[in-house]
Amino acid sequence: MIGTITPLVQGAAGRSRWTSAIVLYGVGSLVASASLGAVLGVLGKVLELPLHVSVIVLATLAIFLALRELGVLDFPAPRFSRQTRKQWFLVGGAERAAFLWGLDLGFGLSTTRVFSSFWLLPVGALLLADPLAGALVMGSYGLGRTLLVATGPLLPRGPETTAFLADLMRSERQWHRLHATAVGLSGVLLVLVL
Amino acid sequence: MEAATQRLLAFGYAAIALGGVCVALSGPGSAVTILLALGLLVGWAQFSTG
């Protein structure tokens, strides 16, 4: 998506409106992700699991997800085939599209995703059984997605963009290792919390 | 792999190391802090999606 949002918004709106588009993307992303986290936190209260049980489940899931990212384990994880709508840019312009893209991508459950490490976050928001904690956990995901798009102008531009994006796709295995490291370390740290 | 991709990966690993050190130095920490740091990294490192 970074390969779509950055050239579209910058090319059409210019640098002056780039900032407002990124802010709107961030607002949309944070609203969607934090709202989902808060709802999961409320739903988690129904489960009423003791905190140490939740942390054990989360740490175990983190290790399993890390092994899946490394290709050591292969088990099904929910995955959606839908992509966000590029047409929103043509219909509503850069700023409205940026906000809608933020809502759609920040929500996390409506578009395709390659990395299964994501699933520790909604499960964590659910098991922590606290709307504020859920909003913080999922909101950090929305903020992370905003940081990704905000760094777009720092990436190669012009003719080099296509080659760079193709290189990103080719290096998917290395990105899986990065996710495995992050989610695996989270699992270890969660064990230490107990 | 191109230099720009290598820089992004290096940044990602540096962020993981920094996050791990911060959580470790802050004492026992909490599950929320750990998941919050993970959320930032996982959100940022969604390069081929959406």
Side-chain angles (χ1 to χ4, degrees), chain A residues 4-178:
Chain A
T4 302
I5 292 176
T6 301
L8 273 180
V9 174
Q10 278 202 311
R15 188 173 286 273
S16 60
R17 289 173 64 191
W18 167 248
T19 306
S20 58
I22 284 299
V23 169
L24 286 166
Y25 179 91
V27 169
S29 184
L30 279 172
V31 165
S33 56
S35 300
L36 174 64
V39 169
L40 289 172
V42 170
L43 291 176
K45 283 182 176 291
V46 178
L47 296 175
E48 289 191 38
L49 286 179
L51 184 60
H52 71 279
V53 174
S54 296
V55 173
I56 289 171
V57 171
L58 284 173
T60 306
L61 178 63
I63 301 302
F64 273 77
L65 288 173
L67 293 172
R68 188 180 192 276
E69 291 285 13
L70 288 172
V72 176
L73 287 181
D74 184 19
F75 56 89
R79 191 171 171 179
F80 310 95
S81 59
R82 178 183 169 274
Q83 287 200 307
T84 196
R85 298 283 178 252
K86 198 174 177 178
Q87 298 91 307
W88 289 338
F89 178 83
L90 301 172
V91 175
E95 286 159 331
R96 181 176 292 186
F99 178 70
L100 292 174
W101 284 332
L103 278 177
D104 198 12
L105 296 173
F107 185 65
L109 300 179
S110 58
T111 57
T112 185
R113 190 180 309 94
V114 174
F115 306 104
S116 53
S117 57
F118 164 82
W119 288 107
L120 192 65
L121 303 172
V123 173
L126 181 75
L127 293 184
L128 291 174
D130 177 355
L132 179 59
L136 284 172
V137 167
M138 288 307 298
S140 69
Y141 173 76
L143 181 59
R145 292 215 69 140
T146 307
L147 292 176
L148 168 63
V149 176
T151 55
L154 301 177
L155 303 179
R157 299 284 307 276
E160 295 176 15
T161 305
T162 308
F164 168 68
L165 293 174
D167 190 55
L168 270 183
M169 300 304 121
R170 281 195 302 272
S171 60
E172 191 175 299
R173 193 168 177 182
Q174 280 81 4
W175 289 103
H176 278 291
R177 286 184 191 146
L178 179 87

Side-chain angles (χ1 to χ4, degrees), chain A residues 1 58 83-84 105 112-115 117-118 120-121 124 128 133 137 140-141 143-145 148 155-156 163-164 167-169 171 174-175 177-179 181-183 185-186 189-190 193, chain B residues 1-14 16-17 19-21 23-24 28-50:
Chain A
M1 198 62 214
L58 284 173
Q83 287 200 307
T84 196
L105 296 173
T112 185
R113 190 180 309 94
V114 174
F115 306 104
S117 57
F118 164 82
L120 192 65
L121 303 172
L128 291 174
V137 167
S140 69
Y141 173 76
L143 181 59
R145 292 215 69 140
L148 168 63
L155 303 179
F164 168 68
D167 190 55
L168 270 183
M169 300 304 121
S171 60
Q174 280 81 4
W175 289 103
R177 286 184 191 146
L178 179 87
H179 279 259
T181 305
V183 77
L185 179 63
S186 299
L189 290 171
L190 283 167
V193 164
Chain B
M1 193 189 307
E2 292 193 2
T5 306
Q6 289 178 341
R7 281 198 298 273
L8 283 172
L9 278 166
F11 178 82
Y13 281 108
I16 292 170
V21 168
V23 171
S30 70
V32 177
T33 312
I34 294 163
L35 291 176
L36 201 150
L38 178 71
L40 271 175
L41 192 282
V42 167
W44 172 78
Q46 291 291 320
F47 285 96
S48 56
T49 63

